C-alpha cells in the first residue's frame, strides 16, 4: 500500500511537473527571444534581491510544515497538525509582508550599487508581492504534503505556470508594442528621445522585463488562491483544540527554531546565483579591458548587437542566466519530483525508528532521481547545438555565447540532482544543519573559483558554469560521507546510481552520434526529435539489460516471482 501511494504521488507530480515545465518553456523561450541577452539580464537581476529574501522568509516553510504534519500523522495526532497550520499561517503571512516591504525598500540601492544595473529597479519592485504570497502558500503546501496529498501542490503549480506564461508574455509584448507605437508616432519612449527603432527597443527593455517579472507575482497569487480553494473544499477538517492544549507561543517558537537552519540552507543555495550576480559582470569587464584583442576577435560579430565591449558583460550574463541556466534547471526540476512523495514517508519512518523502511525509501529516492536525471543531462549535452539553435533561432548571438556553459552544466548536472536529493533527506529527518554546512562550503568555493575561471579569456562565461559544477561535486561528496556517518543501514549513494549513470552516458553517446549522422540530411527539428527518440530507446534497452528495473526496487524480485506462479499453474 505504501509503495502504491509513493508511485501514485510520483505519477501525479510527474504529470504536474511535465505540464508546468512545458508551460514554463513556452514562457521562458519566447521571452528570451523577445528580450535578448540584455533584457534577460534585467530579468535575472530582479531575482538577485528576491531570491535571498525569499530564502529567509519562505523557502524552508514547506519542509518544516510537511515534517511536522507527517510526524503528527504517524502518531495519529491530526489536531496538533491543524493547530500548527493555523498559527503558521498567521505568523508567516506577517513575515511575508515584511519580506515584500524589504524588497521594495532595497530595490533601487541594490540595482544601482550591488548589481550595477540601475535599469533593473522597476523589475525588482514588481517581484516584491511574490514574497508575501509564497509564504502563505508554502504553509498550505507543506500541510497537504505532510498528509501525503500532493494534488493541491500539483494544481497550484499548474495554475502558477499557466498564469505566469499568459501574463508574462502578454505584458512584455504589450510594452514592446507600446514602445514601437510611440516611436512611430514621433513621441518619446519611456522618457527617452530615440532616433532609431533599435534605440526605442533598448529603451523599452527594462519595462518589458518588469512586465515579465510582474507576472511572477501574479502567478504566485493564483497559486495561493488555488490552495485556498482546495482547503475550503476539504471535508475532513477537524475542530481546533483549545488554546491551553496547544499554545500558540510554543508552536510558533518551535517552527522558528526548525526553520532557521532550513532558511540558512536556502539562503546559501540562493547565494550561488548571488555570487554570479556579484562577480560575473565585474570579472568579465576587467577581463575584456585586460584582453581587448581576444574579445574583439572572439566576439567581434556580436559586439554591435550588445552595445559594444561595455555592454558585452551584461549581455553574456543575461544569455547565461536567461538561456543556459533556464534550460538546465528544467532537468533537476523533473528529477526532484521523486523527492516530494518520499519526504513525508522518510520523516515518518525516522520518527517511528523504522530503519528498514527508512533505508528502502532513501535508496528508492536516490535511484528514482538518477533514473530521470542521467539521460536528461547527457542527452541535453549531446544535442545542445541543434536544440538551442531550434529553440532560440532568432538569438544566434546569445546561443553562441552560452552554448559551452550549457554543455558543462549538463555534464555535471547529476551532482546537483544527487546533492539535492540528499539534502531533502537530511531535512526530512531533522538534520538541516548538514546541508547548511555543505552549501556554505560550496558557495565559498564558487566565490573563489568564479573570478579565477571567468578571468581566463578562453573560458569567459563558461567559468561560471565550471565553478557551479565544482560546488555541486563538493556537496555530493560531502553529502555521501555524512549519510554514511549519520544514517543507519547500508546506504551506498554512488553504487545506487552507478547503473543509471552508465545507461545515461550510453543514451547521450548514441543521441550525439545520431545527430551527427542526421544533421546534413534533416532540418534541426527532425534531427532533435529522431536523435532524442534514438537515445531514449537505447536508454530503456540498457536499463532492461543491466537489470535496473529489477534491482533498484521499482520492480521487486518477489513481485516477479508472484506474477510467475499463476502462469506455472
Amino acid at each position: 500500500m505504501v509503495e502504491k501511494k509513493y508511485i501514485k504521488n510520483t505519477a501525479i507530480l510527474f504529470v504536474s511537473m511535465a505540464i508546468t515545465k512545458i508551460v514554463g518553456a513556452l514562457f521562458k523561450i519566447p521571452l528570451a527571444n523577445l528580450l535578448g541577452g540584455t533584457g534577460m539580464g534585467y530579468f535575472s537581476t530582479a531575482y538577485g534581491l528576491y531570491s535571498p529574501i525569499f530564502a529567509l522568509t519562505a523557502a524552508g516553510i514547506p519542509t518544516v510544515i510537511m515534517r511536522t504534519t507527517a510526524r503528527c500523522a504517524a502518531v495519529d495526532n491530526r489536531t496538533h497538525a491543524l493547530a500548527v497550520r493555523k498559527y503558521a499561517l498567521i505568523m508567516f503571512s506577517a513575515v511575508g509582508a515584511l519580506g515584500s516591504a524589504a524588497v521594495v525598500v532595497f530595490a533601487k540601492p541594490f540595482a544601482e550599487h550591488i548589481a550595477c544595473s540601475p535599469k533593473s529597479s522597476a523589475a525588482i519592485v514588481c517581484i516584491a508581492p511574490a514574497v508575501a504570497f509564497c509564504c502563505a502558500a508554502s504553509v498550505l503546501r507543506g500541510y497537504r504534503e505532510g498528509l501525503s496529498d500532493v494534488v493541491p501542490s500539483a494544481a497550484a503549480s499548474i495554475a502558477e505556470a499557466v498564469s505566469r506564461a499568459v501574463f508574462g508574455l502578454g505584458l512584455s509584448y504589450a510594452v514592446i508594442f507600446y514602445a514601437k507605437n510611440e516611436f512611430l508616432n514621433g513621441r518619446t519612449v519611456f522618457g527617452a528621445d530615440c532616433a532609431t527603432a533599435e534605440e526605442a527597443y533598448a529603451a523599452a527593455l527594462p519595462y518589458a522585463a518588469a512586465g515579465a517579472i510582474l507576472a511572477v507575482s501574479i502567478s504566485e497569487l493564483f497559486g495561493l488562491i488555488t490552495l485556498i480553494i482546495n482547503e475550503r473544499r476539504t471535508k475532513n477538517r477537524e475542530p481546533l483544540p483549545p488554546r491551553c492544549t496547544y499554545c500558540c507561543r510554543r508552536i510558533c517558537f518551535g517552527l522558528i527554531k526548525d526553520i532557521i537552519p532550513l532558511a540558512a540552507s536556502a539562503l546559501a543555495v540562493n547565494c550561488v546565483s548571488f555570487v554570479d550576480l556579484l562577480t560575473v559582470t565585474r570579472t568579465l569587464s576587467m577581463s575584456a579591458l585586460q584582453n581587448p584583442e581576444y574579445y574583439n576577435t572572439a566576439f567581434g560579430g556580436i559586439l554591435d548587437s550588445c552595445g559594444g565591449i561595455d555592454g558585452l558583460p551584461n549581455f553574456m550574463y543575461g544569455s547565461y542566466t536567461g538561456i543556459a541556466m533556464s534550460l538546465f534547471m528544467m532537468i533537476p526540476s523533473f528529477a526532484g519530483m521523486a523527492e516530494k512523495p518520499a519526504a513525508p514517508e522518510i520523516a515518518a519512518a525516522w520518527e517511528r525508528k523504522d530503519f528498514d523502511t527508512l533505508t528502502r525509501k532513501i535508496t528508492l529516492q536516490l535511484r528514482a532521481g538518477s533514473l530521470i536525471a542521467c539521460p536528461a543531462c547527457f542527452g541535453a549535452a549531446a544535442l545542445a547545438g541543434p536544440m538551442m539553435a531550434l529553440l532560440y533561432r532568432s538569438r544566434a548571438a546569445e546561443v553562441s555565447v552560452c552554448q559551452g556553459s550549457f554543455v558543462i552544466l549538463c555534464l555535471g548536472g547529476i551532482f546537483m540532482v544527487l546533492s539535492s536529493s540528499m539534502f531533502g533527506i537530511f531535512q526530512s529527518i531533522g538534520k538541516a544543519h548538514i546541508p547548511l554546512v555543505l552549501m556554505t562550503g560550496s558557495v565559498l568555493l564558487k566565490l573563489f573559483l568564479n573570478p579565477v575561471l571567468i578571468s581566463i579569456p578562453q573560458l569567459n562565461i563558461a567559468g561560471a558554469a565550471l565553478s557551479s559544477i565544482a560546488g555541486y561535486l563538493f556537496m555530493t561528496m560531502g553529502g555521501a560521507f555524512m549519510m554514511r556517518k549519520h544514517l543507519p543501514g547500508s546506504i551506498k549513494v554512488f553504487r545506487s546510481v552507478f547503473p543509471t549513470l552508465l545507461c545515461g552516458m550510453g543514451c547521450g553517446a548514441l543521441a550525439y552520434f545520431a545527430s551527427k549522422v542526421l544533421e546534413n540530411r534533416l532540418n534541426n527539428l527532425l534531427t532533435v526529435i529522431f536523435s532524442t527518440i534514438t537515445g531514449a530507446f537505447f536508454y530503456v534497452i540498457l536499463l532492461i539489460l543491466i537489470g535496473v528495473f529489477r534491482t533498484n526496487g521499482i520492480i521487486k524480485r518477489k513481485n516477479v516471482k508472484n506474477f510467475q506462479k499463476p502462469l506455472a499453474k
Side-chain angles (χ1 to χ4, degrees):
M1 181 64 70
V2 175
E3 298 292 339
K4 289 182 179 179
K5 180 182 288 188
Y6 176 83
I7 295 174
K8 176 184 176 181
N9 287 343
T10 302
I12 293 172
L13 287 177
F14 180 82
V15 172
S16 68
M17 187 67 69
I19 295 173
T20 56
K21 290 307 171 184
I22 291 172
V23 175
L26 295 176
F27 168 52
K28 281 290 186 71
I29 294 172
L31 184 67
N33 283 313
L34 176 67
L35 301 182
T38 302
M40 291 305 293
Y42 302 141
F43 182 88
S44 301
T45 299
Y47 279 96
L49 179 60
Y50 166 78
S51 295
I53 293 180
F54 169 81
L56 289 173
T57 55
I61 296 174
T63 300
V64 170
I65 303 299
M66 178 277 297
R67 189 171 63 205
T68 304
T69 305
R71 288 175 175 173
C72 294
V75 295
D76 197 22
N77 190 3
R78 178 73 71 86
T79 53
H80 185 217
L82 287 167
V84 170
R85 185 189 66 173
K86 175 186 177 182
Y87 298 133
L89 272 174
I90 297 172
M91 179 175 66
F92 289 119
S93 295
V95 170
L98 293 175
S100 294
V103 174
V104 173
V105 170
F106 293 107
K108 189 173 182 179
F110 177 85
E112 293 180 354
H113 303 297
I114 297 179
C116 299
S117 180
K119 295 181 180 180
S120 303
S121 57
I124 297 175
V125 171
C126 287
I127 205 173
V131 179
F133 299 145
C134 279
C135 284
S138 295
V139 175
L140 300 179
R141 286 179 188 271
Y143 176 73
R144 283 295 155 193
E145 289 172 7
L147 298 176
S148 296
D149 181 10
V150 299
V151 174
S153 294
S157 298
I158 294 173
E160 291 170 6
V162 172
S163 58
R164 186 184 302 119
V166 171
F167 286 98
L169 292 176
L171 292 173
S172 297
Y173 276 101
V175 170
I176 298 297
F177 178 81
Y178 168 80
K180 181 180 179 180
N181 186 61
E182 292 293 288
F183 170 74
L184 293 176
N185 290 319
R187 293 190 287 266
T188 60
V189 178
F190 295 103
D193 293 319
C194 302
T196 63
E198 289 74 16
E199 291 181 5
Y201 171 74
L205 279 180
Y207 301 95
I213 285 292
L214 180 61
V216 176
S217 296
I218 296 174
S219 69
E220 296 297 341
L221 175 61
F222 272 75
L224 176 60
I225 292 173
T226 302
L227 291 167
I228 291 174
I229 292 174
N230 175 79
E231 291 298 312
R232 294 285 185 182
R233 296 174 62 181
T234 302
K235 297 181 179 180
N236 59 344
R237 301 177 65 186
E238 301 176 13
L240 282 173
R243 184 173 179 177
C244 59
T245 304
Y246 295 109
C247 177
C248 173
R249 180 183 300 178
R250 181 177 300 175
I251 289 176
C252 290
F253 275 112
L255 291 174
I256 293 173
K257 179 182 176 181
D258 289 341
I259 209 170
I260 285 176
L262 293 176
S265 299
L267 181 62
V269 170
N270 285 283
C271 280
V272 173
S273 59
F274 191 72
V275 167
D276 282 338
L277 180 66
L278 290 178
T279 58
V280 169
T281 53
R282 286 177 170 84
T283 307
L284 285 173
S285 297
M286 294 175 59
S287 180
L289 290 175
Q290 295 171 359
N291 305 276
E293 294 183 0
Y294 176 83
Y295 279 87
N296 283 318
T297 302
F299 304 105
I302 65 172
L303 288 179
D304 292 338
S305 63
C306 61
I309 199 72
D310 294 333
L312 182 63
N314 182 67
F315 180 85
M316 297 179 77
Y317 172 71
S319 301
Y320 172 71
T321 56
I323 294 179
M325 283 297 295
S326 294
L327 279 179
F328 166 69
M329 289 305 295
M330 292 183 185
I331 297 174
S333 296
F334 272 106
M337 71 181 185
E339 297 178 20
K340 284 188 177 181
E345 297 175 10
I346 291 173
W350 179 264
E351 184 72 13
R352 297 191 305 265
K353 307 300 182 184
D354 184 359
F355 296 129
D356 289 337
T357 301
L358 180 69
T359 301
R360 188 172 68 254
K361 289 297 177 184
I362 290 175
T363 304
L364 179 61
Q365 177 171 320
L366 292 172
R367 288 171 173 171
S370 68
L371 195 69
I372 299 170
C374 288
C377 286
F378 292 110
L383 302 177
M387 182 176 65
M388 297 182 79
L390 174 66
L391 297 176
Y392 302 98
R393 62 183 64 186
S394 64
R395 293 293 175 179
E398 286 84 348
V399 169
S400 67
V401 165
C402 66
Q403 181 176 324
S405 301
F406 177 71
V407 172
I408 293 171
L409 289 170
C410 289
L411 291 176
I414 184 63
F415 299 118
M416 181 182 186
V417 173
L418 282 178
S419 60
S420 176
S421 295
M422 288 187 283
F423 290 176
I425 292 167
F426 287 130
Q427 290 169 354
S428 296
I429 64 175
K431 295 187 180 295
H433 64 282
I434 295 176
L436 174 60
V437 172
L438 294 176
M439 282 186 284
T440 302
S442 174
V443 170
L444 293 176
L445 180 63
K446 183 173 178 60
L447 185 61
F448 169 75
L449 289 178
N450 252 20
V452 174
L453 297 176
I454 296 173
S455 62
I456 301 174
Q458 291 76 12
L459 288 178
N460 51 81
I461 192 66
L466 282 172
S467 64
S468 295
I469 296 305
Y472 299 148
L473 177 60
F474 170 81
M475 291 189 295
T476 302
M477 300 294 291
F481 173 79
M482 298 305 288
M483 285 188 68
R484 293 186 62 180
K485 180 179 179 181
H486 290 279
L487 292 179
S490 55
I491 301 173
K492 296 177 175 59
V493 176
F494 297 106
R495 183 178 296 180
S496 300
V497 303
F498 185 71
T500 53
L501 180 64
L502 287 180
C503 295
M505 294 173 66
C507 167
L510 192 62
Y512 178 79
F513 177 76
S515 68
K516 289 302 179 182
V517 171
L518 297 173
E519 64 180 352
N520 296 324
R521 295 174 172 84
L522 301 174
N523 58 32
N524 257 353
L525 176 61
L526 293 178
T527 298
V528 171
I529 292 175
F530 283 113
S531 300
T532 302
I533 293 174
T534 301
F537 179 77
F538 187 59
Y539 177 66
V540 174
I541 296 298
L542 287 177
L543 290 177
I544 295 173
L545 292 177
I546 293 178
V548 171
F549 286 115
R550 183 179 66 252
T551 58
N552 71 357
I554 296 175
I555 298 178
K556 296 183 179 180
R557 292 178 182 271
K558 64 180 183 180
N559 292 338
V560 176
K561 292 179 180 179
N562 291 335
F563 177 74
Q564 291 173 344
K565 285 180 181 179
L567 297 179
K569 295 180 181 178

